[in-house]
Amino acid sequence: MSFNSLGLSQALLKAISKKGYTTPSPIQQKAIPPVLERKDVLASAQTGTGKTAGFTLPLLHILSENPKEKYRPIRALILTPTRELAAQVYTNVKEYSEFLNLRSAVIFGGVNQKPQIARIRQGIDVLVATPGRLLDLESQGVLSLKRIEIFVLDEADRMLDMGFLRDIERVIKMMPTQRQNLMFSATFSKDIKKLAHGILNNPVQVEATPENTTVEAISQKVYRVAKGLKTGLIIKLISDGYWKQVLVFTRTKHGANRLCKKMISANISAAAIHGNKSQSARTKALAGFKNGSIRVLVATDIAARGLDIPLLPHVINFELPNISEDYVHRIGRTGRAGAKGQALSLVSADETTYLRDIEKLINMKLPVEIVEGFEPDPNASTEPEKRQQRGGGNRSRRNSGSGHSKSGEHKNNNSRRRPKRNNDRRN
Ligand code: AMP
């Protein structure tokens, strides 16, 4: 199948070919036609499947077909959970609309609002936003959502994980009831299905990869290792493999900082990316990682959402996530758009339960390797760390108010977090 047969305008086809895309990805093949027919769509697709173009291309097509008014009301809203994803989606919107007479803007917290306001005041058709800044600017009277024709909720599962449910409900009340709704989510919990039921009207359901299964192009492996030997092992793997671009996941912000320092001491250029970092530090780290001046990017789950690093060869879980679905999100960072990738996990005894849960979720047993000199500790407890430290995790969350405010989205919203999640998840 080619893009020509999907019914997109010449201007969009030109932009697609400029991007170098030749064939629509499965999610694009399935999502674009119903969106063009003005239907609501509920799509199951993880990052890396080309989902952004899946909703952006038909959205731009629809907007460019309708006559524009002199006063440009905002006609499409794309809501994303994180700043990085918002920035990435906006880049795509700009690229795909290059040959159209449509204007767009992106707004998110953690940066000065003035340039964002100035851009909106010039008149825009498409707004990409994170919930916090959107509600803020709406309440200041900077923007109105009363003329929204198309609403996209991207990474809806992550939105709920981050405690944005109430914000989403507020945003929905600001839009006209007559509108087209597109909802994308990597996973489909009961909560997501309930949210979809509340937002979508008779949706067409499309699926890129079967729910909660990992992309075939990714080769996965587990290294069983003693907890105290993980840093040594990860440095050995990266050095011996001469790996040039490695995304490493840690469970906490402090863990990310600690590991980053150790990497730098071992002469491996590294940067950490998490919610306590300023927006400019995050942007700089990501740019360095993309241009090759930084070999290792150490990230927490939330910070990593929406990072678009094409053809990322290696993802390493320094610690397994305590929420199994996060494993699928993490390894979705490699093997993107058909490229072969490698996802490795360093697993100590206390993570045995997490590993079992992940294997159950992805419905496969992961191959295990033990590296000489980095053997697991046979006497270590297999009790998950979260149980051992439950009090500590909660304490750290209560005390992390200043970190939250720096992340620019929410303050004082601990109560909105799903109780299921522990550790400092707003990262
Ligand atoms: P996404 O899942 O939207 O984050 O997209 C993942 C990556 O795939 C991005 O780098 C896109 O630029 C790229 N991509 C999207 N659609 C296509 C396509 N049809 N052919 C090749 N690459 C694509």
Side-chain angles (χ1 to χ4, degrees):
M1 184 191 260
S2 79
F3 278 103
N4 292 335
S5 56
L6 288 173
L8 296 166
S9 69
Q10 283 306 319
L12 284 167
L13 293 176
K14 196 169 154 191
I16 292 166
S17 115
K18 195 171 167 192
K19 278 289 283 177
Y21 305 165
T22 48
T23 321
S25 70
I27 193 70
Q28 292 162 2
Q29 293 181 24
K30 289 178 195 167
I32 292 173
V35 180
L36 286 176
E37 286 171 27
R38 314 286 202 274
K39 292 194 172 127
D40 280 10
V41 168
L42 176 61
S44 157
Q46 57 199 61
T47 309
T49 54
K51 69 181 167 67
T52 315
F55 61 76
T56 306
L57 293 170
L59 176 151
L60 294 171
H61 181 102
I62 293 170
L63 294 186
S64 63
E65 267 192 331
N66 296 343
K68 254 166 297 300
E69 299 168 30
K70 215 155 95 205
Y71 153 72
R72 288 180 110 112
I74 304 172
R75 294 159 64 202
L77 171 66
I78 303 171
L79 205 56
T80 76
T82 63
R83 307 156 178 179
E84 280 79 14
L85 184 60
Q88 185 53 45
V89 169
Y90 175 59
T91 304
N92 285 346
V93 170
K94 271 196 308 188
E95 286 168 344
Y96 302 143
S97 59
E98 185 182 346
F99 305 107
L100 295 169
N101 181 19
L102 290 173
R103 291 218 297 255
S104 50
V106 64
I107 57 173
F108 46 75
V111 293
N112 188 346
Q113 64 175 27
K114 279 194 189 140
Q116 299 178 351
I117 294 175
R119 175 79 186 158
I120 291 170
R121 293 229 159 106
Q122 286 169 2
I124 52 155
D125 306 278
V126 182
L127 180 64
V128 184
T130 53
R133 183 58 60 95
L134 177 70
L135 290 169
D136 193 1
L137 295 191
E138 201 275 344
S139 70
Q140 292 180 45
V142 172
L143 58 90
S144 162
L145 302 178
K146 291 202 176 105
R147 299 286 301 275
I148 294 291
E149 295 165 31
I150 308 175
F151 171 53
V152 183
L153 189 61
D154 197 11
E155 303 208 342
D157 48 349
R158 185 59 47 159
M159 287 272 193
L160 294 191
D161 284 349
M162 290 178 73
F164 284 132
L165 177 60
R166 222 159 294 158
D167 287 350
I168 295 170
E169 287 167 354
R170 282 177 65 196
V171 170
I172 285 172
K173 286 207 185 99
M174 292 166 183
M175 296 188 286
T177 43
Q178 270 291 344
R179 54 167 206 271
Q180 186 177 10
N181 302 288
L182 316 175
M183 184 166 146
F184 285 73
S185 189
T187 51
F188 277 87
S189 62
K190 232 198 273 157
D191 288 344
I192 285 289
K193 284 177 183 150
K194 200 168 137 202
L195 181 68
H197 188 72
I199 295 178
L200 302 162
N201 260 324
N202 221 350
V204 174
Q205 292 201 26
V206 296
E207 203 176 316
T209 42
E211 219 173 293
N212 294 336
T213 55
T214 44
V215 189
E216 274 170 21
I218 302 169
S219 90
Q220 301 169 69
K221 199 194 284 180
V222 162
Y223 287 95
R224 295 304 301 235
V225 55
K227 205 174 184 62
L229 298 177
K230 280 189 176 187
T231 306
L233 177 58
I234 196 169
I235 288 172
K236 179 184 165 56
L237 290 171
I238 293 170
S239 307
D240 288 3
Y242 299 103
W243 295 343
K244 296 275 177 285
Q245 207 181 32
V246 191
L247 179 61
V248 177
F249 283 96
T250 59
R251 216 152 22 172
T252 67
K253 296 178 255 201
H254 304 298
N257 287 340
R258 231 175 5 243
L259 183 60
C260 191
K261 277 194 196 133
K262 296 257 174 66
M263 292 272 178
I264 292 167
S265 311
N267 272 331
I268 296 173
S269 54
I273 186 164
H274 54 65
N276 278 6
K277 295 268 178 188
S278 69
Q279 187 57 38
S280 65
R282 295 211 254 180
T283 309
K284 200 170 143 214
L286 186 57
F289 188 55
K290 280 189 177 182
N291 73 26
S293 60
I294 290 170
R295 275 170 81 183
V296 177
L297 190 66
V298 189
T300 53
D301 289 291
I302 289 175
R305 289 291 279 194
L307 295 188
D308 180 47
I309 304 149
L311 313 183
L312 186 66
H314 305 284
V315 168
I316 303 181
N317 295 308
F318 187 72
E319 286 139 352
L320 285 180
N322 55 353
I323 304 287
S324 304
E325 281 87 357
D326 283 348
Y327 177 83
V328 180
H329 290 304
R330 287 180 179 189
I331 73 159
R333 307 268 133 219
T334 185
R336 316 192 76 195
K340 184 95 182 155
Q342 202 179 31
L344 310 175
S345 302
L346 309 193
V347 181
S348 49
D350 57 331
E351 296 170 294
T352 306
T353 316
Y354 300 154
L355 179 62
R356 218 174 296 137
D357 289 348
I358 288 164
E359 289 180 331
K360 218 186 283 166
L361 178 78
I362 62 175
N363 200 18
M364 72 185 268
K365 205 131 187 75
L366 296 173
V368 174
E369 196 173 311
I370 292 171
V371 178
E372 209 186 315
F374 298 91
E375 288 85 0
D377 177 357
N379 301 316
S381 161
T382 54
E383 183 73 4
E385 202 185 30
K386 69 170 179 182
R387 272 181 220 155
Q388 293 164 13
Q389 297 191 332
R390 181 152 284 172
N394 290 340
R395 230 184 347 268
S396 101
R397 235 194 293 155
R398 266 202 300 279
N399 290 339
S400 59
S402 61
H404 290 185
S405 65
K406 238 180 170 181
S407 78
E409 285 300 327
H410 278 295
K411 298 168 194 96
N412 306 326
N413 60 349
N414 291 346
S415 60
R416 285 191 256 182
R417 315 230 8 99
R418 279 202 325 200
K420 197 172 129 200
R421 294 209 174 240
N422 61 358
N423 297 321
D424 48 348
R425 293 282 313 174
R426 177 157 297 279
N427 40 20

